Amino acid sequence: PGTHGTTGVTPIRTTTRRTSSMAFAMASQASIAQTAAFRRGPRRTHARVSTKCVASKAWTNSTMKSTTASVDEIKATRLITAIKTPYLPNGKVDLAAYDALVEKQIEAGVGGLIVGGTTGEGQLMSWDEHIMLIAHTAKLYGDKLQIVGNTGSNSTREAVHATSQGFAVGMDAALQINPYYGKTNRSGILAHFGAVLDYGPTIVYNVPARTSQDIPPDLMMELAKHENFAGVKECEGNERIKGYTDVGITCWTGNDDEAHDARFEAGAVGVISVTSNVVPGKMVDLICSDAPNPELRDELLPLMNWLFAEPNPIGLNTALAMLDCAEPVFRLPYFPYDKALRAKGKALIEAIGVEHTPGTKLLDLKDSDFITLEEW
């Protein structure tokens, strides 16, 4: 062979081109033959097609199964806190403040956490943030609490992907919502939940006020047949809950103000709570005791009503900022309570006692103390 510019180079380049052309022609002929064979073959049916392998639908090994809660263990968890996600001034997740909040939940005797739920602003997180927070919580506190990851979505593809990741990084159960905004029909709802129920213990979340589509009892009964169905977080009232518990379906109410009566009159196992972020010990006493306590219910109702004076989690975010448990940082579109509502909340918390909260003091925050972020 010659050097660059000599005649020795040309034959090599020409040979390479001819070889490539011949290979391409052979490959094209093979592709044509495969396509023809496919067209002659039987047509595929409309059966649901999934890219999931068998192992990814269940526990990959005995060690994973032994360190993850069973469906029955999830069903027995009375008080599950929809934990708040605190932020740094730059909008990133404040893991130190988050850990302090979680540890207060553990000290109070709370049984589980919803990570990245509506209260935890999963809807404002990237999926990277979301799965990171589930993994962080499971790694540090998975031996002390049931870790329920909110891995639902109105996109089945996203729900499946997030749920498979959530179980892979250690969550004990998934919280799954029916498709919202881009709503579907009955068959679509069944197919959507069927796709995610395969992965592990699942709590189905029915909140028509947010999704604009109720999951009616007859459809819920169908979902309850799946071996991984742990129960339902039901926001349609205690009459609906009573109908489920009468036929053996486990329920958590999603309404703090109805939680006491749901537990002791409607047969709910407990509540998935926002208020327990602020008064975890009081909520444990209210929900996890063996006897009703209407006096404690009535003591906490004004605080519950204050927390939901505006759409959740605005009240909770404001309260925990006032208690100095989180920086006064809001990811938009959430915006803090105004001065009058803050003053009302301060009086309510003082009446209950700051010692029952995760904080040690109440700050008199001004409007200018709050940071609202339009990007992070």
Side-chain angles (χ1 to χ4, degrees):
T3 59
H4 181 68
T6 67
T7 56
V9 177
T10 304
I12 295 174
R13 290 180 177 173
T14 303
T15 302
T16 302
R17 290 194 189 102
R18 286 175 179 170
T19 302
S20 300
S21 299
M22 291 173 64
F24 178 77
M26 292 173 65
S28 298
Q29 290 171 1
S31 298
I32 292 168
Q34 287 177 344
T35 301
F38 173 78
R39 288 175 176 170
R40 288 194 301 270
R43 286 307 199 190
R44 288 177 288 181
T45 68
H46 64 279
R48 179 169 66 92
V49 177
S50 173
T51 58
K52 294 181 287 187
C53 67
V54 174
S56 70
K57 294 184 182 180
W59 314 121
T60 55
N61 57 51
S62 59
T63 301
M64 181 179 178
K65 185 172 182 178
S66 69
T67 57
T68 304
S70 67
V71 171
D72 287 340
E73 287 171 320
I74 298 299
K75 287 182 175 182
T77 307
R78 291 206 181 278
L79 178 58
I80 302 175
T81 296
I83 194 74
K84 184 222 171 8
T85 306
Y87 304 116
L88 296 166
N90 64 3
K92 303 301 182 184
V93 176
D94 186 345
L95 288 175
Y98 176 83
D99 291 348
L101 290 173
V102 172
E103 286 163 13
K104 289 293 184 181
Q105 297 291 311
I106 295 168
E107 288 175 18
V110 171
L113 301 176
I114 302 290
V115 180
T118 305
T119 303
E121 300 180 32
Q123 63 276 13
L124 301 186
M125 294 180 186
S126 68
W127 279 115
D128 284 346
E129 284 182 310
H130 211 134
I131 300 302
M132 175 280 294
L133 197 58
I134 292 171
H136 174 85
T137 311
K139 181 178 180 180
L140 268 64
Y141 306 112
D143 60 338
K144 301 177 179 67
L145 293 157
Q146 306 296 0
I147 309 303
V148 183
N150 174 35
T151 54
S153 172
N154 60 347
S155 160
T156 304
R157 174 184 174 276
E158 287 192 9
V160 164
H161 185 65
T163 300
S164 64
Q165 287 188 325
F167 279 112
V169 301
M171 71 183 187
D172 294 295
L175 182 69
Q176 298 287 347
I177 199 164
N178 52 307
Y180 48 89
Y181 188 70
K183 297 179 289 185
T184 186
N185 58 15
R186 177 189 173 88
S187 296
I189 293 173
L190 287 169
H192 175 85
F193 281 116
V196 291
L197 275 161
D198 286 341
Y199 285 95
T202 300
I203 298 172
V204 173
Y205 184 15
N206 187 40
V207 55
R210 289 189 182 272
T211 64
S212 297
Q213 186 176 48
D214 185 27
I215 305 174
D218 63 312
L219 200 159
M220 194 69 73
M221 300 291 185
E222 286 294 312
L223 297 176
K225 295 176 183 178
H226 197 288
E227 62 181 356
N228 286 332
F229 180 92
V232 53
K233 177 185 177 183
E234 181 59 71
C235 297
E236 280 296 275
N238 289 346
E239 184 178 351
R240 174 77 65 91
I241 288 173
K242 183 71 164 60
Y244 287 143
T245 59
D246 282 349
V247 295
I249 292 178
T250 300
C251 288
W252 295 263
T253 178
N255 302 326
D256 280 341
D257 59 341
E258 299 177 350
H260 175 272
D261 295 350
R263 162 85 167 88
F264 294 105
E265 296 177 12
V269 68
V271 60
I272 295 177
S273 176
V274 174
T275 305
S276 53
N277 281 275
V278 181
V279 284
K282 292 275 189 180
M283 287 299 294
V284 168
D285 292 342
L286 185 71
I287 298 300
C288 300
S289 61
D290 294 328
N293 190 340
E295 294 80 11
L296 180 56
R297 174 199 62 195
D298 293 345
E299 177 190 352
L300 295 179
L301 273 173
L303 175 63
M304 294 174 179
N305 292 333
W306 179 84
L307 286 169
F308 290 91
E310 293 181 357
N312 181 54
I314 295 171
L316 176 63
N317 291 353
T318 304
L320 291 179
M322 290 166 56
L323 285 164
D324 202 27
C325 296
E327 296 284 347
V329 177
F330 282 64
R331 287 181 174 182
L332 288 171
Y334 298 122
F335 202 86
Y337 276 179
D338 63 21
K339 182 178 179 180
L341 268 176
R342 295 198 300 270
K344 183 177 180 180
K346 183 178 181 181
L348 290 170
I349 294 170
E350 286 174 338
I352 293 172
V354 175
E355 67 273 17
H356 296 294
T357 75
T360 58
K361 57 187 174 182
L362 266 169
L363 302 178
D364 188 15
L365 295 175
K366 303 183 293 294
D367 289 346
S368 58
D369 292 324
F370 289 93
I371 300 170
T372 56
L373 300 172
E374 60 187 38
E375 58 182 24
W376 48 86

